[in-house]
Amino acid sequence: MSAGAPVVQVPETLDAWRMVAARRQFEGRLPLSALPRLRGSLADVEGECGFTLEFGQDTLQVPYIELSIDAGLPLLCQRSLERFVFPVRSVLRLGLIRDEADEAALPEGYEPLLVPEDGLVRPAELVEDELVLALPVVPLAPGSEPIDRTWSAGEEELQAASPFAALASLKKK
């Protein structure tokens, strides 16, 4: 975030090209309950996500949005089946492109963001996209221990599983 830039509450939609030209910065908070694509992956929807959007152009005149996210996502640990909060802190630079062919021209370290023809971007959707991508495939609470149990089969199971069990019963007859 650049020092001295005014911080303004985030509107629902922003004209990306006008915001880049004006080098605007926005700061906002979203309740987790307002993120429909993320809700299904959460243990509950308690909490909120803080974010900052900074529009600008780099030295190569590439227009970008720098998105900073700070959130705690309530997840269900797949080892203990208990709720835990998964911290998400990320900063990424989204290179604004008008056409998919422009993606190859983005410098290293930029994620492409295809801006629609009307130039409008929805900050809540950008934040939700990044939170969905930040979700672990298998949520595991820090410090949860793997269960290293070996369950031995009982005598009945061993005999039932034996291919010769049927022959033994025939022999007794």
Side-chain angles (χ1 to χ4, degrees), residues 101-117:
D102 298 337
E103 180 180 346
L106 287 176
E108 190 175 325
Y110 281 68
E111 291 291 326
L113 177 63
L114 183 61
V115 178
E117 285 185 33

Side-chain angles (χ1 to χ4, degrees), residues 33-155:
S33 60
L35 306 171
R37 290 178 291 135
L38 182 66
R39 273 195 305 236
S41 301
L42 303 177
D44 56 61
V45 291
E46 291 179 24
E48 61 183 13
C49 167
F51 66 94
T52 304
L53 293 168
E54 184 179 341
F55 292 82
Q57 281 186 327
D58 66 10
T59 56
L60 300 173
Q61 302 304 309
V62 175
Y64 67 84
I65 301 174
E66 188 164 290
L67 176 61
S68 303
I69 297 176
D70 185 14
L73 303 178
L75 300 177
L76 190 63
C77 175
Q78 296 302 299
R79 281 188 180 145
S80 64
L81 297 179
E82 293 179 3
R83 179 188 187 274
F84 75 101
V85 177
F86 180 73
V88 176
R89 285 176 187 74
S90 70
V91 177
L92 69 145
R93 194 166 272 202
L94 302 167
L96 304 180
I97 57 174
R98 296 178 194 267
D99 188 81
E100 288 181 11
D102 298 337
E103 180 180 346
L106 287 176
E108 190 175 325
Y110 281 68
E111 291 291 326
L113 177 63
L114 183 61
V115 178
E117 285 185 33
D118 60 7
L120 297 178
V121 294
R122 299 184 184 286
E125 289 179 5
L126 295 178
V127 170
E128 186 173 20
D129 288 346
E130 292 310 313
L131 289 175
V132 167
L133 290 172
L135 286 171
V137 175
V138 179
L140 297 174
S144 65
E145 293 295 323
I147 300 173
D148 289 331
R149 290 273 196 182
T150 54
W151 302 100
S152 58
E155 187 63 36

